Amino acid sequence: MIGFEEKGGILHADDVPLTQIATEFGTPAYVYSAGAIRGQYEALALAMQKALPPERQPLLCYACKANSNIAVLSLLKGCGSGLEIVSEGELRRGLKAGFAPEKIVSTGVGKQAREIAACLEAGIHQFNVESLPELVHIQKIAAEMNKTAHVVFRLNPDVTGGGHHKISTGRKRDKFGLGRADVFKGFEMAAEMSHVQAHGLSIHIGSQVFTVDAFRQAFEKLPGMVGELRAAGHVISRLDIGGGFPIIYKDEKLLDLSAYAKWVGDIILPLETEIIMEPGRYLVGNAGVLLSETLYIKETNDRSFLVIDAAMNDLVRPTLYDAYHGIEPVENRDAPKKLYDVVGPICETGDTFSIDRTLPSMKPGALVVIRSAGAYGFCMASNYNTRPMPPEILIDGERVAVIRQRQSYDDLIGPEHIPEWLNR
Ligand code: LLP
């Protein structure tokens, strides 16, 4: 069995009952299915194999901000993936997991000097440049190191996409990318630079893009732009078409992967460039759950609160983006239904996973899972309210591994110290 399904009345992760995981490792805990991650990678790769000829297959660079545990990175590397990184920390994780630097692309609007230097030292495939001052900065550092920086320019296509305004990145008002005129300027500047080589363009319009036409609208901005840049004498040999492919959290009607692949085939392929993609959420989102235990059932005049031991510090998406996540009990899944507000222990009303959720009636001690927590779950967790970071557990069939142990209080509080001069 692959993924999270019920067997003998108990929800499993692959072949392992989640009851067993809770007993062995405690709660809250993130649990990932290796098979589910592999399956998503293969589905995306296959859709591309059907739409594009073998010699024009894209370089899939997993956007590891979605889930950067080095075991997950290693798993995806094993599938053949490259890596999209947005910080030196992510570069270090990628190198530690064994990614070839030639398969790593660096994105983000605020690349710092030491991050640029670390990427040049490693010899990454390219920087996706987001501003002209950044281009100048990259040239300066590359010259000092006597390395060549390979760059593409991120075009802001002025397209609205993304499941929430906080994760839409391709509108003119967003901080990302360059307008048309600045892309031209960037190519002209790069042509004069001694240690920068420009290769093409990138776009990324947002995350959880479920507006069916948004990708097509963004892709359609590319042929004209590529034609004009080539007419001006610039070499366009790479197009990075970003990430953003959505997953089902509830009952969303989503863009079909094959339709997306067909647009890549129809619009991007004829431009005769190397093709790069940066999928994040699609590869890992539905391959993880946050496993938690019911602490109390608190009944008030008009509400039933299911107080669980996971909180917004473990999974912030519901409170940050009003995101919907499925919630299910691990056992007693056929009990009579009841309405609950599912909340965590943190001292904020925002620490609410869902309001008026219909669930089989629950008892203290009952285990629940919060679904679709494999992407932007653990990696956005914090220590708010001095709660230790939960463990991450990887399941592969019957195999179980703790890929990150629960944070200890020593690790959490140990780095702090009281200055000697205080209270003197
Ligand atoms: N490439 C770039 C340049 C990005 O900024 C992102 C995501 C991706 C690729 C991957 O996008 P994906 O395929 O995962 O949609 N924390 C938010 C999502 C933020 C996404 C940021 N950038 C959430 O929990 O929904």
Side-chain angles (χ1 to χ4, degrees):
M1 203 162 82
I2 288 177
F4 301 89
E5 283 176 32
E6 181 182 319
K7 201 158 70 178
I10 300 177
L11 199 62
H12 282 56
D14 290 6
D15 297 322
V16 183
L18 286 164
T19 42
Q20 179 190 322
I21 298 188
T23 308
E24 276 181 43
F25 308 110
T27 55
Y30 276 96
V31 185
Y32 309 130
S33 158
I37 297 175
R38 274 188 215 107
Q40 289 297 100
Y41 185 91
E42 279 157 19
L44 180 56
L46 190 68
M48 291 302 151
Q49 279 158 22
K50 284 190 182 149
L52 312 176
E55 69 284 3
R56 299 290 311 284
Q57 287 303 303
L59 173 60
L60 301 179
C61 289
Y62 168 54
C64 70
K65 69 200 77 174
N67 183 330
S68 54
N69 185 292
I70 57 172
V72 172
L73 300 192
S74 173
L75 168 62
L76 282 164
K77 190 204 75 173
C79 295
S81 184
L83 204 64
E84 182 258 5
I85 58 162
V86 75
S87 68
E88 185 181 346
E90 289 187 351
L91 174 70
R92 284 172 181 253
R93 286 176 178 279
L95 295 176
K96 188 161 185 184
F99 280 89
E102 317 84 73
K103 283 187 162 187
I104 298 179
V105 303
S106 160
T107 72
V109 297
K111 300 180 187 79
Q112 297 171 41
R114 57 171 289 166
E115 295 178 333
I116 295 168
C119 286
L120 286 168
E121 196 54 55
I124 65 162
H125 190 54
Q126 69 190 32
F127 294 92
N128 294 8
V129 171
E130 302 249 7
S131 68
L132 300 179
E134 180 196 327
L135 178 68
V136 173
H137 198 195
I138 292 175
Q139 152 67 18
K140 178 171 172 283
I141 295 165
E144 280 162 15
M145 296 173 69
N146 199 23
K147 303 254 185 207
T148 300
H150 300 277
V151 307
V152 301
F153 293 98
R154 178 165 174 181
L155 172 71
N156 180 318
D158 197 17
V159 168
T160 303
H164 186 271
H165 76 92
K166 289 183 185 162
I167 55 173
S168 289
T169 55
R171 301 161 298 186
K172 211 161 34 189
R173 62 161 303 283
D174 296 324
K175 67 178 175 177
F176 299 98
L178 297 154
R180 195 179 163 284
D182 278 345
V183 168
F184 272 87
K185 203 156 172 210
F187 270 98
E188 279 156 23
M189 285 165 68
E192 302 296 315
M193 287 176 168
S194 55
H195 290 77
V196 165
Q197 210 177 331
H199 297 273
L201 297 172
S202 74
I203 47 169
H204 172 74
I205 55 171
S207 196
Q208 187 64 5
V209 178
F210 58 75
T211 331
V212 169
D213 243 17
F215 286 114
R216 188 180 54 76
Q217 277 175 36
F219 293 169
E220 280 178 347
K221 307 256 170 164
L222 290 173
M225 187 90 196
V226 168
E228 285 178 59
L229 284 162
R230 283 179 174 159
H234 302 298
V235 173
I236 307 295
S237 57
R238 299 181 189 175
L239 288 175
D240 178 339
I241 56 175
F245 204 81
I247 61 167
I248 292 178
Y249 283 94
K250 191 179 181 187
D251 50 11
E252 298 93 335
K253 278 263 161 294
L254 296 181
L255 171 65
D256 182 32
L257 195 53
S258 59
Y260 172 86
K262 187 173 177 315
W263 288 339
V264 178
D266 290 349
I267 306 170
I268 309 293
L269 187 70
L271 301 176
E272 294 291 340
T273 64
E274 176 191 337
I275 302 170
I276 299 169
M277 290 167 59
E278 302 170 0
R281 187 191 314 265
Y282 180 77
L283 299 183
V284 290
N286 285 330
V289 298
L290 177 56
L291 178 62
S292 179
E293 187 183 295
T294 305
L295 298 173
Y296 305 103
I297 317 272
K298 175 173 172 175
E299 307 278 359
T300 64
N301 281 348
D302 57 346
R303 321 225 48 96
S304 289
F305 293 101
L306 188 74
V307 186
I308 62 175
D309 65 1
M312 64 187 271
N313 76 296
D314 303 303
L315 178 66
V316 75
R317 301 193 72 258
T319 191
L320 190 56
Y321 312 117
D322 296 317
Y324 179 98
H325 283 258
I327 301 177
E328 289 173 30
V330 171
E331 295 176 284
N332 297 322
R333 295 163 57 83
D334 296 329
K337 300 272 191 291
K338 211 179 143 167
L339 272 190
Y340 291 105
D341 288 358
V342 183
V343 301
I346 280 184
C347 302
E348 284 198 34
T349 301
D351 186 21
T352 296
F353 290 110
S354 75
I355 291 174
D356 281 343
R357 187 68 63 88
T358 305
L359 291 173
S361 67
M362 306 285 289
K363 295 204 176 84
L367 296 171
V368 291
V369 295
I370 303 181
R371 280 200 176 255
S372 311
Y376 307 110
F378 180 87
C379 56
M380 293 178 76
S382 76
N383 286 127
Y384 189 37
N385 279 202
T386 307
R387 289 168 49 89
M389 302 285 250
E392 293 176 284
I393 292 153
L394 185 68
I395 311 291
D396 196 359
E398 289 177 351
R399 286 183 291 193
V400 179
V402 178
I403 56 172
R404 183 185 171 111
Q405 63 191 36
R406 188 182 304 282
Q407 191 178 27
S408 71
Y409 284 108
D410 277 349
D411 284 346
L412 205 173
I413 306 170
E416 299 175 18
H417 77 283
I418 303 171
E420 257 174 46
W421 43 261
L422 202 70
N423 303 329
R424 277 243 180 102

